[in-house]
Structures are given as structure tokens and as C-alpha cells.
Amino acid sequence: MLRTIAWRVPQIVATLVILSLVAYLAIGAMPGDPISLAMMADPRLGPEDVARMRALHGLDQPLLARWSAWATGVLRGEFGYSRLFARPAAEVLWPALRGSLVLLGTALALAAGIGVAAGMLAALRPRWRGVVDALALVSQAVPAFWLGILLIILFAVTLGWLPAGGVPDSGGVAETARFLVLPVATLAIAHLAAYARHTAAAMADVLRAPWITAARARGAPESRIAFRHALPNAAVPLLSLLALDAGGLVSGALITETVFARPGMGKLLTDAVMGSDQNLALLALLLVAGVTMLATLAADVAQRALDPRLAA
Amino acid sequence: MTRLRAGLAILLLLVIAAVAAPGVAAWLGVDPDVPDILARQAPPSADHPLGTDELGRDILVRLLVGARVSLAVGAAAAVASTVIGLAAGLLAAWRGGWVDAVVMRVADGLLALPALPLLVLLAALDPSAIGLPRGDASADVVRIVAILALFGWVGVARLTRAAAISVLARDHVRAARALGVGEGRLLRRHVVPALAAPLAVAGSLAVAGAILAESTLSFLGLGIQPPAASWGNMLANAQDLVFSAPMAALWPGLAIALAVAGAMLVADGLREG
């Protein structure tokens, strides 16, 4: 176990370093650096002003030197300023991250809960299997942006029960919740299918195991077999699915954020990359990639702890 | 078996729609890309069986043309992802050691990245800088397929690697090696054919993923550029019109869901065998 961690953590760090370099070079190679944007905004800027500004911002240095200067800053905990928002990148990131964590945390908790329940239903009650399969197929095939639009048409336009998008001005809990219902429903429905399918498959596998037959032979009630014997074992493969979604917690949901006009990491990441806001884009990218890889590692470790057969 | 048949039937339906698009357009006497300002948001009629959109273009014909885009992107991206993924996965399984480690770390790195913002970034880059054409709808299709293949190979590669490792350890492969069969022939004749079943599943899942990704990019305005029709960009306008023309949002979304479900049913059916 410790060996796994000791071996994987340096790999993650190395991947992050390489990733930051590749992303830095890619963003740096995009046309239109901050100074050329300033030139377009102000026609009075002459060539000598431009050269002075480039030197001032270090843009006359080669890309590699700029990257190492940036990396040194990061090691000291300085993530630099966001160009688009003219504030420290970490300060800009925080509200978007909080928005995404609330939205996706709620949606994924719902998706995992309902998905696992539906998967168990499909595995334990074969009559329901077809229904659960069909619903899972629909939820995977329907594009999130269409689902969002349909929910808006039904609940915001036709019935007028819920707001069509945005965030409330005042921070009352009930009001915040009202604005969350439709985006959370959109995301939860989109993520639910994977949990339902994986749970159904894993439960069906586990229920064929000899120790389930043994438990039945000893007269254990079916509910105890389902929840105490089958579910914990079936949950082991689900952990890797959960780990992949954990990355989504911090990377946000661009489509849902766009359709419902909510601030979040998906929108921030896209805006930062498109606006060649290097410091902000790199910070967000590294956060997302780091969290995803750490979550995968955590899931691997947890799986090995829960299932000694994997430890070998 | 029923799933495989249902999925194939849906995909066949879409192929027929794609092939019939120019014929239907000629029969109705409408051009899918030319606005008709006097017939904006017309209700369904004999001239326009599903009505017209906010610029007076026939919705039915645009849907049929959209089927061409979705099928072209889905098929091409799936083939490209499968070929690259097969090569990478096979290489990793066959060579092992540091080659395996490098290929799989690259794959992990791509998986750890937020896929959608990166797709958006790549779609927004000027394609002429890397030698891809820019302009009409077919150029957009080529551009989107290239972007999707860049990410799509990862899933196929992981699957191929896992399957190939077990095939390479089988007795018939070891027997062939012992008989002195060359490594190239060994892979071609004895390993790749044994991978056909998992590859077919991965390929049909790639079709579903590509159709969904294309519609998402087009919805965000970065895929197929208007006036050319794609199901995704038809929905982009529909969101602004939910109050005046809610029905305009119905058909393109339904078409996307149907196409994706078709490809996924095929994958499910193939998996069950």
C-alpha cells in the first residue's frame, strides 16, 4: 500500500510538471499576447511603447524562461495575477470553485444515490431490469444541453415554478436552492446512468458468488444479503467511477453552467484559456488534473484496502 | 440480440435520412441554408412538414442534412480513434516496460484533463495554423474529427492493452512464437483478430461519444458553422427562443438522443454477444 503511494505520488507530480509546461507553451503559442490586445485597444501606442511593455511584463523572454519563472513563483505559493480580472488568480478562482462544488457536489451525490438504488433494483428484481436499462440508456443518450432546455421550457416557461437560470441576488438558503433545482436535476440525470449500469452489473456478479449461496443456506434474510453481503462488495468497482467524477467536481460543468447562466469552473476555465489568461488557466488546469489524479489514487488505495485480492 | 437489431435499425434509419436529404429538399423545393424571412417560424404545413425556424428555413430538411454531419463525424472519429487506440494499446501490451509506462501515462494525463474545456480550446484555435482547412461544412467536419480523435483514442487504447496482454499470454500465441513466427505476423494473425470483439464495442461507443461531442461543440458555436445545419447548432438558437418557439428545441435534441442511443444499443448488443 505504502509502496503504491510512494510510487504513484512522484508520477503525479511529474505529470503535473509536464502538463504545466505543455499548457504554458500551448497558451503562449496562441496568437495575441496581452500586449497586442492592448495595442488593438489603444491606437496611440507606438513601437517603442510596445517594446517597453513587453520588457516590463517579461514577454521579450523566451517561453521556456517565462515558464521557469512562473514555476518558481508557484513553488513559493505565488500563482500570479489574472489578466482578465486584474486580481490574484487564486482570488478569482475561489468563487467559481465554490459554485462548482455546490452544484456538482449536490448533483453527484443525488446521481450516485439514485443510480446505486436503481442498479440494485435491476439486479435484485429482474422484472425491473428492463425499465432501469431503458432509463439508463435514455439518460446517457440525451445531451445535457437539450435536457436543460427542456427542463427550462417545462418548469420555467410553461409552469413558471422555477427560475430559468442565473443566481439569486440575495443569499437566502431557500432562494439559492430554488435556483439550483434545474441545473442539479440536469446534471444528476446525466450522471445517474453510469452508476445504475455499473451497480447492476457488479451486483449481478456478486450475487452469483458461492458465499451468497452460503449466506442464503444459513437462512440470512434477503435484505441482509443485499445490503450487508452484496452491496459492499459490489461497491468496490464503483469507487473508480466516483474518482473520475471527483475531477468533475473541480472542473465544473461547462454545458450546464452555460445553459443556466451560472458562474463556475467550466466557464472560468474556458474563458481563461480563450482569453489567454495564462496564470488563471494554468492554476485551474493544474487544480483539475491534480484533483483527478489524486482521486484516482485514493480510489485505487481504497479498493485495495477493501479487497485484499487486488493488493497483490 | 434484440438490442443489436434495434440499434442497427436506428442507425440504418439515420443513414436513409442522410442519403434522402438532397432528394427531400428538391422535392419540397427548399434550400436548407437559405433564409426565407417572410416564412419565419411557420407552423407545420404541406410545404414545411415540421415548420420553419427563426430565419424561415425548413426544419425537416435541416434535420435530414444534420444527420449527414452527425453520421460523418461519428463514423470518421470512431474509425480514427479505434485505429490510433489499437496501435497504441497493442504497442504498450507487446513491448511492455518503459514503452508501456509512457503510453499509459500519456493516456492517464489526457484522462485527468477536463475534456470539455480542452475540446472547446482546440475547436477555437485557428485550424489553418496546423494545416487543416477552414471554411465550409466539410472542413468543419474534418477539423472536429481530428480534435475528437486526439482524445478518443485513450479509451480504445486502455481496452486494447488490457485485452492484448491476456491474448499475448495465451497458449496459441506462445505456440506460434515457439514455432518461430515473426513478431509482425504474430500480432497480425494471432493477436489482432482476437481483439475484434472488444474493439467493436469500443468503436460503437466511440461513435456515440463523437456524435454527442460534435453536437455539444456545435451548440457552443465552435463546431459546424452556420448557415450549414447541424443538430447542435440548430439547438443553439432554440435556447434563445424558448419563450416564442419552444417546439424548435424539440426535434434536433430528439435526433441527437436517437442517434446516440442507436450507437449505444449496438455497443450493448455486441457486448452481450
Side-chain angles (χ1 to χ4, degrees), chain A residues 63-86:
Chain A
L63 268 174
L64 217 53
R66 278 152 61 188
W67 174 75
S68 63
W70 170 84
T72 325
V74 167
L75 289 181
R76 283 201 303 263
E78 293 162 13
F79 296 101
Y81 269 70
S82 153
R83 196 173 66 70
L84 288 177
F85 299 92

Side-chain angles (χ1 to χ4, degrees), chain A residues 11 19 30 133 137 140-143 145-146 149 152-153 157 197 251 254-255 259 269-270 273-274 285 288-289 292-293, chain B residues 3 105 112-114 116-117 120-121 124-125 215-216 219 235 239 242 246 249-250 253-254 256-257 260-261 264 268:
Chain A
Q11 281 191 354
L19 186 65
M30 275 172 75
D133 274 359
L137 181 72
Q140 272 185 313
V142 165
F145 50 92
W146 188 49
I149 295 175
I152 290 175
I153 290 177
V157 178
R197 282 171 159 241
S251 72
L254 176 60
I255 295 297
V259 171
L269 200 51
T270 313
V273 168
M274 303 284 262
L285 269 178
V288 174
T292 309
M293 287 190 284
Chain B
R3 287 176 187 219
R105 286 298 84 72
L113 291 174
L116 194 51
V120 167
L121 164 68
L125 286 178
S215 68
T216 305
F219 175 73
L235 270 174
Q239 194 191 356
V242 284
L250 192 64
L254 208 57
I256 299 168
V260 176
M264 285 169 82
D268 271 3

Side-chain angles (χ1 to χ4, degrees), chain A residues 203-254:
Chain A
M203 283 287 281
D205 262 0
V206 172
L207 286 172
R208 277 195 293 271
W211 35 267
I212 295 287
T213 318
R216 286 217 174 97
R218 287 199 305 274
E222 280 301 311
S223 64
R224 189 181 159 81
I225 288 176
F227 286 97
R228 289 298 299 275
H229 294 267
L231 185 59
N233 285 287
V236 173
L238 284 179
L239 283 172
S240 31
L241 193 60
L242 211 56
L244 268 185
D245 277 345
L249 273 181
V250 285
S251 72
L254 176 60

Side-chain angles (χ1 to χ4, degrees), chain A residues 9-288:
Chain A
V9 168
Q11 281 191 354
I12 291 176
V13 173
T15 311
L16 286 179
V17 171
I18 295 171
L19 186 65
S20 79
L21 179 61
V22 172
Y24 199 96
L25 297 182
I27 300 175
M30 275 172 75
D33 67 13
I35 308 300
S36 32
L37 291 178
M39 276 170 73
M40 278 199 278
D42 189 349
R44 288 168 305 171
L45 288 175
E48 59 276 16
D49 298 318
V50 170
R52 201 158 41 85
M53 280 167 72
R54 277 190 202 282
L56 186 65
H57 290 273
L59 287 170
D60 53 346
Q61 306 285 317
L63 268 174
L64 217 53
R66 278 152 61 188
W67 174 75
S68 63
W70 170 84
T72 325
V74 167
L75 289 181
R76 283 201 303 263
E78 293 162 13
F79 296 101
Y81 269 70
S82 153
R83 196 173 66 70
L84 288 177
F85 299 92
R87 283 193 298 148
E91 210 176 276
V92 176
L93 192 76
W94 177 236
L97 182 59
R98 207 177 39 196
S100 281
L101 285 177
V102 170
L103 175 63
L104 282 132
T106 322
L108 290 179
L110 272 176
I114 300 173
V116 169
M120 285 184 72
L121 187 68
L124 294 170
R125 300 270 179 278
R127 268 193 307 148
W128 286 89
R129 179 147 195 149
V131 178
V132 172
D133 274 359
L135 287 180
L137 181 72
V138 169
S139 115
Q140 272 185 313
V142 165
F145 50 92
W146 188 49
L147 182 63
I149 295 175
L150 290 185
L151 289 177
I152 290 175
I153 290 177
L154 181 58
F155 290 102
V157 178
T158 312
L159 297 173
W161 290 351
L162 294 163
V167 281
D169 299 327
S170 57
V173 176
E175 197 58 13
T176 314
R178 252 167 56 84
F179 278 81
L180 268 173
V181 173
L182 290 185
V184 162
T186 306
L187 278 169
I189 292 174
H191 281 88
L192 201 155
Y195 287 97
R197 282 171 159 241
H198 280 86
T199 307
M203 283 287 281
D205 262 0
V206 172
L207 286 172
R208 277 195 293 271
W211 35 267
I212 295 287
T213 318
R216 286 217 174 97
R218 287 199 305 274
E222 280 301 311
S223 64
R224 189 181 159 81
I225 288 176
F227 286 97
R228 289 298 299 275
H229 294 267
L231 185 59
N233 285 287
V236 173
L238 284 179
L239 283 172
S240 31
L241 193 60
L242 211 56
L244 268 185
D245 277 345
L249 273 181
V250 285
S251 72
L254 176 60
I255 295 297
T256 314
E257 285 161 16
T258 308
V259 171
F260 291 98
R262 294 181 66 88
M265 287 293 286
K267 195 91 178 56
L268 181 86
L269 200 51
T270 313
D271 286 348
V273 168
M274 303 284 262
S276 51
D277 189 343
Q278 267 182 338
N279 290 333
L280 188 58
L282 284 168
L283 178 60
L285 269 178
L286 291 184
L287 179 73
V288 174

